[in-house]
Amino acid sequence: RAALRVRGIVFRSGSARLLSSSYATLLQVVAALKADPSLSLRVAGHTDTDGERDSNIALSLARANT
């Protein structure tokens, strides 16, 4: 199965709040999913390595759930 990595979904530093610049990318993803219901989506959240490991893991999860 082919994979596509979506770039351009960006969050405020240290936050799970999306930046408005991410909305266009998200709308494109929504359009693609609606156009082809056979597509599946895997969501992962990431952070940098600054700060405490446990805090970064929690932030990654919060971003993935946003």
Side-chain angles (χ1 to χ4, degrees):
R1 184 154 196 153
L4 174 66
R5 180 170 288 177
V6 176
R7 301 211 184 262
I9 300 173
V10 184
F11 296 85
R12 278 180 95 167
S13 179
S15 170
R17 184 171 176 188
L18 284 165
L19 295 181
S20 60
S21 61
S22 302
Y23 298 157
T25 301
L26 288 170
L27 289 173
Q28 289 175 339
V29 171
V30 168
L33 291 169
K34 285 182 175 181
D36 187 349
S38 71
L39 293 175
S40 62
L41 182 68
R42 182 177 76 176
V43 177
H46 299 279
T47 66
D48 57 27
T49 58
D50 292 342
E52 296 292 322
R53 181 178 185 274
D54 290 343
S55 296
N56 284 336
I57 290 171
L59 180 56
S60 293
L61 181 59
R63 287 177 172 178
N65 287 320
T66 294

